[in-house]
Amino acid sequence: MKEGGIFTILDNCLQKVSDYAIDKDLKVIALVPDETSFNYPNIEYIGFPKSKKSWLKRLYYEYFYFKKISKKLKPDVWFSLHDMSPNVKANKRFVYFHHPTLFYNSSYKDWKYDYKIGVFSLLYKYLTRINLKRNYTVFVQQNWIKKEFEKLYKIQNIIVCNPEYTEELATEKTTLEENKIHFFYPSFPRTFKNFELLFDAIELLDSSIRNKVRFHFTTIKDNPHKFAKHLYNKYNSWPEVDFKGWISREEILKLYNSVDCIVFPSKLETWGLPLTEAKAFDKPILAANLPYVIETIGEYDKVSFFNVNNPKELANYITEFVNNTIQYQGNSYTFDKKEQLNDWNSIFDYILKD
């Protein structure tokens, strides 16, 4: 858990448990990739710098070495933050699941540009099953994942925990080309993020519309990732396309504040944080018609949904948006929130009850 969304989960959890432990009789020990990456107090860190060198290392730690550690530490609670349920000795065991790949059918493109996605889609279903039923509770981020888990693994001890979101709003704007309509897709270039659907939709636009639009993307320029290079080489010459490299969080927030519309065609997410952020900025959204999107967006008027395999449908929405004729579908999503947890402190309270 060293980058991207999974690092955010680890970092947020450690930050929150550090504060939570201040006035409680708790000893918190965190097993992390690099103990120098964190300085939150009230936590003892044990680093595993070799954990990212290979999947064999990861499996060795999860299913062999962690058992040794658990026998030494004798924990009351073992909380696994990264999908797997390791072989350990503890009074209570919990797992936090946030990797959606087991619900994904990989394609040739995935194997060609990001073979790990293909491997995950084949193996993660079985790795997740190992020791799963030994957990006191399985935490998942959305209700649709809970339903899939119940169906796939025949378990009932699942609780939905929406990711805790701290709203950040920029008051400043970034300088964008005037007299253009600006669209933004904030996402790391993974094959399942469905970038090509958006480029196919751009190709279908009438020239009068193409001359009026600009599409902004982050983390693609100067990115050594194989798929990022493919996208840059193929589409960077398009005048409608603005490929940015790695930019600061502050610059991303300025972009949200400056663009006219958020586009989100990703086929696979366990949450989809940019959708939450787009709502916070009160931006119009064009998004994939998938369960994770419906649930993440919740109640919102300025949103329309498109089929993830239909660029013409997306092109029509873009055209309507530019012509100011779009009639949003809007979204309304509700489910039984009786046992839902909405922040880290609620999770910690639940884990430590009794």
Side-chain angles (χ1 to χ4, degrees):
M1 304 177 75
K2 294 182 71 173
E3 60 188 9
I6 59 173
F7 178 81
T8 301
I9 289 169
L10 173 60
D11 188 60
N12 286 351
C13 181
L14 292 176
Q15 180 183 1
K16 295 296 183 178
V17 79
S18 171
D19 295 337
Y20 185 87
I22 290 174
D23 58 354
K24 295 182 174 61
D25 186 21
L26 293 179
K27 180 179 181 179
V28 182
I29 301 169
L31 313 184
V32 296
D34 178 7
E35 66 269 36
T36 64
S37 298
F38 308 96
N39 58 6
Y40 301 120
N42 310 313
I43 300 174
E44 176 184 330
Y45 300 95
I46 302 177
F48 293 86
K50 296 180 181 178
S51 60
K52 290 293 285 186
K53 287 188 178 296
S54 74
W55 257 85
L56 289 177
K57 273 288 185 194
R58 165 86 188 276
L59 296 175
Y60 167 71
Y61 285 136
E62 295 279 2
Y63 300 125
F64 297 97
Y65 190 71
F66 283 172
K67 189 165 189 177
K68 282 185 181 180
I69 290 183
S70 67
K71 286 181 177 179
K72 180 181 177 181
L73 298 177
K74 298 181 173 61
D76 295 293
V77 169
W78 189 285
F79 184 22
S80 180
L81 264 184
H82 199 182
D83 309 321
M84 289 176 155
S85 304
N87 286 328
V88 294
K89 293 285 187 180
N91 292 339
K92 278 186 179 180
R93 295 154 65 171
F94 300 84
V95 63
Y96 185 94
F97 184 87
H98 53 89
H99 202 299
T101 316
L102 67 87
F103 307 116
Y104 182 62
N105 294 319
S106 58
S107 65
Y108 169 75
K109 180 180 68 177
D110 299 308
W111 287 96
K112 180 178 179 181
Y113 293 109
D114 196 351
Y115 74 92
K116 288 183 180 179
I117 299 300
V119 173
F120 286 165
S121 67
L122 291 178
L123 297 183
Y124 228 64
K125 182 183 299 184
Y126 304 102
L127 292 173
T128 301
R129 186 186 300 275
I130 298 172
N131 298 324
L132 184 66
K133 293 186 178 181
R134 295 185 181 182
N135 291 295
Y136 183 83
T137 301
V138 176
F139 298 115
V140 299
Q141 290 188 323
Q142 290 198 327
N143 195 57
W144 73 269
I145 302 176
K146 176 182 178 180
K147 291 178 180 177
E148 290 294 330
F149 258 72
E150 289 172 342
K151 186 166 57 177
L152 187 59
Y153 297 116
K154 312 301 181 191
I155 60 174
Q156 297 298 317
N157 58 326
I158 308 171
I159 290 184
V160 176
C161 310
N162 290 164
E164 187 172 350
Y165 172 65
T166 302
E167 190 171 282
E168 299 176 88
L169 295 177
T171 55
E172 297 180 44
K173 293 191 174 186
T174 192
T175 302
L176 298 177
E177 191 175 354
E178 295 182 3
N179 302 318
K180 302 292 182 183
I181 306 296
H182 295 274
F183 295 82
F184 184 26
Y185 182 18
S187 185
F188 189 85
R190 300 289 186 194
T191 48
F192 58 82
K193 297 290 187 175
N194 208 17
F195 284 87
E196 286 92 338
L197 179 86
L198 184 46
F199 295 120
D200 289 345
I202 294 171
E203 276 196 302
L204 293 173
L205 297 174
D206 185 88
S207 60
S208 63
I209 299 296
R210 291 187 71 164
N211 289 332
K212 295 178 181 178
V213 296
R214 292 293 181 269
F215 292 84
H216 302 272
F217 303 87
T218 56
T219 69
I220 292 180
K221 184 180 180 182
D222 299 325
N223 188 331
H225 190 275
K226 189 176 181 180
F227 187 57
K229 288 182 177 180
H230 162 71
L231 293 175
Y232 188 84
N233 292 335
K234 187 171 182 178
Y235 300 108
N236 184 56
S237 62
W238 289 20
E240 307 91 350
V241 171
D242 172 29
F243 283 146
K244 301 179 187 301
W246 297 90
I247 59 177
S248 68
R249 177 66 178 163
E250 182 182 4
E251 286 301 316
I252 289 175
L253 293 176
K254 286 181 182 179
L255 262 174
Y256 274 116
N257 198 32
S258 306
V259 299
D260 300 290
C261 182
I262 307 301
V263 185
F264 205 76
S266 178
K267 292 182 177 181
L268 187 67
E269 306 283 336
T270 48
W271 186 253
L273 181 59
L275 297 169
T276 303
E277 293 172 329
K279 277 184 64 177
F281 279 92
D282 195 33
K283 293 294 178 178
I285 302 171
L286 304 178
N289 190 8
L290 292 173
Y292 83 84
V293 175
I294 305 299
E295 192 163 342
T296 299
I297 289 179
E299 300 281 336
Y300 198 56
D301 291 332
K302 293 190 292 187
V303 60
S304 286
F305 306 101
F306 53 82
N307 185 304
V308 291
N309 298 308
N310 190 339
K312 189 174 190 307
E313 188 176 5
L314 176 54
N316 288 339
Y317 278 132
I318 293 170
T319 299
E320 290 175 0
F321 185 87
V322 172
N323 289 334
N324 201 27
T325 58
I326 189 168
Q327 294 184 339
Y328 297 108
Q329 292 171 286
N331 189 58
S332 177
Y333 178 83
T334 58
F335 68 95
D336 185 5
K337 297 184 179 182
K338 184 172 58 177
E339 296 204 4
Q340 179 177 317
L341 303 175
N342 294 309
D343 55 55
W344 284 110
N345 283 356
S346 298
I347 295 176
F348 303 147
D349 286 341
Y350 176 87
I351 286 174
L352 295 171
K353 70 181 180 181
D354 303 322

